[in-house]
Amino acid sequence: MAVAELSVDRGWVGVELRHLTALAAIARTNSFVRAARSLGYTQSAISAQIAALERAVGVQLISRARGSRFVHLTPEGEILLAHAAVVTSELERARARLSERIGGESAAAVRLAAPRSLAPLLPPLLALLRQEAPAVTVLVRELDEERSLTALEHRETHLCLTAVSPLAAARLDGRRVAIDPFVLIAPDLPDASTASTDLDLLAWLPLAAPASGDAAKPLDDLFARARLHPSFVLRTDDAAALNAVARERVAAAVLPRLLVEPDLLPYALPLDRLLEPREISVAWPAGETLGATTRVVISAATRVGETRSPRR
């Protein structure tokens, strides 16, 4: 069989996949610091990778406005990023074909990422798969939202559970599996029912709420738009702790309904008039060809999500 000769400009031979990964992370986060955090590198390592990439291609790829902490890609950087997406996609296709040749898809595990705020979906999902598709192996990693999307983009995982919306903005395809409304948990608090529809009164309550991610941002944005300074007692991503302070009547908890423990569900007051519900999806890289085992996991996630969505 004839072997095609690869002809590449000598300088471009120095371009490495990790350089392109760093460029994509900066484009996504507009920050060297956040890009480094999302990839598990130090800031100096990301800076060195970008400097090496700029030397290899011979143009400036990153621009920083004077006095700003944020950076953005130059027009040349945007061009290279578009081609980098093609390169990484083709490498993933090569990996998939080699995996199939070595052992077939059935021998491979489906890698699934999920943030902590969606963890309650995982036990019933794994139980359903064990019952109905025992031949399908799923490896689950808990990652924050940004790291989950990064892992998916770079094919470190096959699927992720996410509340990012719209998916197209994150270069993802997906299927909605659940609607998760925000609720106020305040057992025996006289003003709770009024506070669930009155933002000013809600801000006066002693509150407990998630500290980060999709379970926290909508509430923070709501108060910021209204220029209110709520009386937070506890901010943590530990859902058990948030349920506990509500149970002990230390504070009223603002939570996605998915994170409310069963004994407190009777006290859940809807916050529909103040906060839009989370739209939970199972997502995969845009344009990805899905294998049979991956589709089985998607189907199971959809069915589990339907059981957790409130009845309309």
Side-chain angles (χ1 to χ4, degrees):
M1 182 179 71
V3 178
E5 180 179 352
L6 298 177
S7 178
V8 181
D9 182 272
R10 181 172 298 177
W12 282 68
V13 173
V15 175
E16 299 180 18
L17 185 59
R18 63 194 179 107
H19 300 157
L20 301 178
T21 300
L23 183 69
I26 290 172
R28 186 176 58 256
T29 63
N30 297 112
S31 164
F32 277 86
V33 173
R34 288 185 293 186
R37 187 180 301 125
S38 71
L39 297 175
Y41 293 139
T42 64
Q43 181 182 351
S44 60
I46 291 292
S47 298
Q49 289 170 20
I50 294 300
L53 180 59
E54 289 181 328
R55 287 195 300 271
V57 302
V59 295
Q60 182 180 354
L61 302 172
I62 306 293
S63 176
R64 185 195 302 270
R66 180 172 296 179
S68 173
R69 295 177 301 156
F70 300 104
V71 298
H72 61 271
L73 268 58
T74 63
E76 293 78 10
E78 294 285 356
I79 291 172
L80 182 58
L81 181 64
H83 288 278
V86 176
V87 171
T88 55
S89 176
E90 287 301 313
L91 284 174
E92 172 55 23
R93 290 177 186 275
R95 183 205 64 77
R97 290 182 63 187
L98 288 173
S99 296
E100 289 174 3
R101 184 171 182 83
I102 292 170
E105 186 189 4
S106 61
V110 176
R111 298 186 299 276
L112 172 68
R116 180 181 295 187
S117 69
L118 301 183
L121 292 175
L122 296 174
L125 171 60
L126 295 175
L128 179 62
L129 287 169
R130 174 170 290 186
Q131 176 184 350
E132 297 189 357
V136 174
T137 302
V138 179
L139 300 179
V140 180
R141 296 178 64 190
E142 181 188 297
L143 300 171
D144 62 38
E145 285 93 343
E146 185 174 319
R147 185 70 184 92
S148 290
L149 298 181
T150 300
L152 197 59
E153 180 180 352
H154 298 296
R155 274 61 174 187
E156 297 170 20
T157 56
H158 298 104
L159 300 170
C160 77
L161 291 173
T162 180
V164 168
S165 181
L167 292 176
R171 302 176 186 172
L172 301 176
D173 290 332
R175 180 184 297 176
R176 190 176 74 182
V177 299
I179 294 296
D180 190 23
F182 284 85
V183 295
L184 178 67
I185 308 296
D188 302 329
L189 189 66
D191 295 331
S193 59
T194 305
S196 66
T197 59
D198 186 318
L199 186 58
D200 290 310
L201 184 54
L202 183 66
W204 278 100
L205 295 180
L207 293 177
S212 64
D214 62 81
K217 188 176 185 300
L219 182 64
D220 290 338
D221 289 347
L222 179 68
F223 284 128
R225 288 194 300 270
R227 298 184 179 181
L228 292 174
H229 301 283
S231 304
F232 283 115
V233 172
L234 177 66
R235 299 299 301 269
T236 177
D237 291 325
D238 184 342
L242 294 171
N243 279 271
V245 295
R247 186 180 293 108
E248 296 299 325
R249 298 170 174 78
V250 175
V254 177
L255 287 166
R257 192 176 185 276
L258 184 65
L259 297 180
V260 179
E261 294 177 357
D263 66 303
L264 291 175
L265 282 175
Y267 302 100
L269 297 170
L271 289 171
D272 295 350
R273 295 188 182 183
L274 301 178
L275 290 166
E276 292 291 328
R278 298 192 299 174
E279 184 174 296
I280 301 171
S281 300
V282 57
W284 54 89
E288 186 82 353
T289 300
L290 301 176
T293 54
T294 303
R295 291 196 297 271
V296 168
V297 176
I298 293 169
S299 176
T302 303
R303 291 162 58 193
V304 167
E306 288 173 350
T307 66
R308 296 305 178 102
S309 293
R311 303 299 179 186
R312 295 288 182 177

